[in-house]
């Protein structure tokens, strides 16, 4: 069951359209043809910049029918130099992408028609095959055998990459590709890069521990007894116990409690360009949280694993893991869960 807060945010995001749409982190999706699903617990001050970055950069497409992809790569420009990447559906794409089958020749022809229509905006384009994408993926993550073992060649979506002309309307181009059936995601790489740079510059938190709010549908907050539909807020005793647990962890460098009012101010600043979303959000919508800095990134996983099991905790987020998931989605079109991407299944 969605709370009134989630309903208001859904309406606001729908009005904002492609300007706000998240995907790498359990994305906020606002595609035209797909149900919108949102966990407002992620829209908080602690990860607002990261969320906003993914929202601007990632547009979800719809599913399509068709056979296995047989695209071949054309070496027009370096993959790293692409301005926009259009990822196609694969047969193994998770259902949250909206894909129902692998994109076939009909969908590829539609993408090529969009390219022709957008010639004033597009300087060059090229297809990237699954084989090429898989080779690049294995080279990039050669040191992460667990991740390599979890991803098969068929999981890497084929894609179409474009270089934009100077002064091109990036939103117009991404929106045009978004309308094509068989597209799982459209990535604006400049928006992703800007967002991640902002996160790295401003980031002072390694782990966020979000507390349960009343009325939420987050499973960890819903009592096993009772109506089983609505969550309950963390009690004072639970909050105190969580704080004591954090303070006793040898991996923790320092911890700060952030109340709803502080989170709301940061949220408004991060989303200042999205008037609809800000106006739809209230102070009471924001979850309280503990912001943790660690002595070493390598110790994050034991901290996350222990804290996510504490009563009164809605969600525990590792910012390093968020960055990894964002990179995998933006560069390879992969939508992978934390347990696959992050050591220890954080």
């Amino acid at each position: 069951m969605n709370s009134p807060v989630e309903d208001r945010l859904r309406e606001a995001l729908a009005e904002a359209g492609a300007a706000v749409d998240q995907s790498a982190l359990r994305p906020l999706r606002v595609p035209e043809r797909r149900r919108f699903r949102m966990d407002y617990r992620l829209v908080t001050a602690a990860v607002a910049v990261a969320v906003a970055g993914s929202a601007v950069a990632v547009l979800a497409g719809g599913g399509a029918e068709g056979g296995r992809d047989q695209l071949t790569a054309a070496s027009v420009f370096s993959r790293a130099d692409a301005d926009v990447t259009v990822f196609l559906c694969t047969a193994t794409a998770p259902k949250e992408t909206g894909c129902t089958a692998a994109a076939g020749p009909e969908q590829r022809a539609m993408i090529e028609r969009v390219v022709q229509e957008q010639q004033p905006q597009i300087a060059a384009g090229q297809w990237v095959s699954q084989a090429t994408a898989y080779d690049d993926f294995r080279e990039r993550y050669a040191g992460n055998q667990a991740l390599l073992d979890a991803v098969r060649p068929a999981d890497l979506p084929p894609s179409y990459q474009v270089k934009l002309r100077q002064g091109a309307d990036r939103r117009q181009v991404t929106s045009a590709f978004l309308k094509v059936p068989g597209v799982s995601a459209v990535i604006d790489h400049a928006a992703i890069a800007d967002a991640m740079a902002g996160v790295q510059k401003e980031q002072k938190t390694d782990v966020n521990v979000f507390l349960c709010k009343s009325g939420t549908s987050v499973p960890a907050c819903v009592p096993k007894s009772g109506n089983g539909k609505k969550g309950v807020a963390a009690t004072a005793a639970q909050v105190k116990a969580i704080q004591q647990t954090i303070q006793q962890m040898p991996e923790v460098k320092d911890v700060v409690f952030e109340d709803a009012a502080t989170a709301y101010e940061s949220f408004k600043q991060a989303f200042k360009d999205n008037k609809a979303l800000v106006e739809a959000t209230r102070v009471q919508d924001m979850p309280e949280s503990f912001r943790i800095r660690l002595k070493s990134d390598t110790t994050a996983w034991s901290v996350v694993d222990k804290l996510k099991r504490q009563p009164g905790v809605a969600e525990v987020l590792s910012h390093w893991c968020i960055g990894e998931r964002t990179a995998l989605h933006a560069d390879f079109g992969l939508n992978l869960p934390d347990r696959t991407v992050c050591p220890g299944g954080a």
Side-chain angles (χ1 to χ4, degrees):
M1 174 181 288
N2 293 326
S3 70
V5 173
E6 291 169 301
D7 291 336
R8 290 208 306 275
L9 291 178
R10 182 182 298 104
E11 294 171 0
L13 287 169
E15 292 177 8
V20 176
D21 182 12
Q22 175 188 334
S23 176
L25 325 169
R26 277 183 212 101
L28 310 181
R29 296 186 177 276
V30 242
E32 297 174 358
R33 299 181 300 277
R34 192 176 315 148
R35 290 177 302 169
F36 175 77
R37 179 184 176 213
M38 174 180 177
D39 279 341
Y40 74 87
R41 67 187 189 277
L42 297 183
V43 188
T44 66
V47 291
V49 177
V51 171
S54 296
V56 171
V58 183
L59 306 175
E65 297 180 355
R68 298 291 296 176
D69 183 80
Q70 300 293 328
L71 298 180
T72 57
S75 183
V76 178
F77 49 84
S78 169
R79 287 190 66 201
D81 292 334
D83 293 314
V84 173
T85 299
V86 182
F87 289 107
L88 279 69
C89 288
T90 66
T92 63
K95 62 181 180 179
E96 56 264 29
T97 63
C99 296
T100 58
E106 181 180 349
Q107 287 74 41
R108 298 196 296 274
M110 293 176 68
I111 288 175
E112 291 172 352
R113 285 198 291 273
V114 171
V115 174
Q116 293 298 319
E117 294 169 357
Q118 296 294 322
Q119 278 299 311
Q121 314 278 6
I122 296 175
Q126 63 185 12
W127 289 105
V128 178
S129 69
Q130 287 182 300
T132 297
Y134 186 66
D135 288 344
D136 289 351
F137 167 77
R138 291 193 64 85
E139 181 178 356
R140 169 90 66 88
Y141 295 96
N144 189 340
Q145 190 60 47
L147 181 59
L148 295 180
D149 291 342
V151 178
R152 299 167 295 173
D155 297 332
L156 271 293
S159 61
Y160 190 82
Q161 295 189 315
V162 301
K163 287 285 292 179
L164 299 176
R165 300 183 189 279
Q166 186 174 3
D169 186 333
R170 308 178 80 93
R171 181 171 178 177
Q172 177 181 324
V173 174
T174 53
S175 296
F177 284 120
L178 171 63
K179 297 175 182 178
V180 178
V183 169
S184 63
V186 181
I187 306 297
D188 181 341
H189 292 285
I192 286 283
D194 289 346
M196 296 311 296
V199 170
Q200 293 173 359
K201 180 179 180 181
E202 301 296 334
Q203 187 57 263
K204 297 179 181 179
T205 302
D206 296 311
V207 176
N208 281 92
V209 182
F210 298 108
L211 304 181
C212 288
K213 287 179 60 64
S214 178
T216 182
S217 58
V218 178
C221 304
V222 178
K224 292 182 174 57
S225 59
N227 60 25
K229 296 181 179 180
K230 292 185 178 181
V232 297
T235 65
Q238 288 174 338
V239 175
K240 183 177 180 179
I242 294 167
Q243 183 174 17
Q244 290 177 341
T245 298
I246 295 172
Q247 292 172 336
Q248 292 170 3
M249 289 180 165
E251 303 94 338
V252 173
K253 181 178 181 179
D254 58 56
V255 57
V256 175
F257 178 76
E258 183 169 79
D259 60 22
T262 302
Y264 181 66
E265 291 304 315
S266 297
F267 171 84
K268 288 196 301 182
Q269 180 61 30
F271 288 94
K272 61 184 179 182
D273 294 329
N274 191 329
K275 185 177 180 180
L277 180 58
V278 172
E279 290 183 349
T281 309
R282 307 290 184 269
V283 174
Q284 58 268 30
D285 299 339
M286 308 305 294
E288 297 180 326
S289 66
F290 288 102
R291 300 163 61 100
I292 300 172
R293 284 201 301 173
L294 301 173
K295 295 176 181 177
S296 170
D297 288 342
T298 60
T299 61
W301 317 119
S302 61
V303 171
V304 171
D305 185 63
K306 185 173 183 178
L307 291 175
K308 68 183 180 182
R309 304 175 192 278
Q310 299 298 308
V313 171
E315 180 84 6
V316 183
L317 297 181
S318 160
H319 287 265
W320 182 87
C321 188
I322 289 174
E324 286 296 288
R325 291 186 65 195
T326 300
L328 281 163
H329 184 76
D331 296 342
F332 296 100
L334 291 171
N335 296 275
L336 301 174
D338 288 355
R339 63 180 180 273
T340 299
V341 177
C342 308

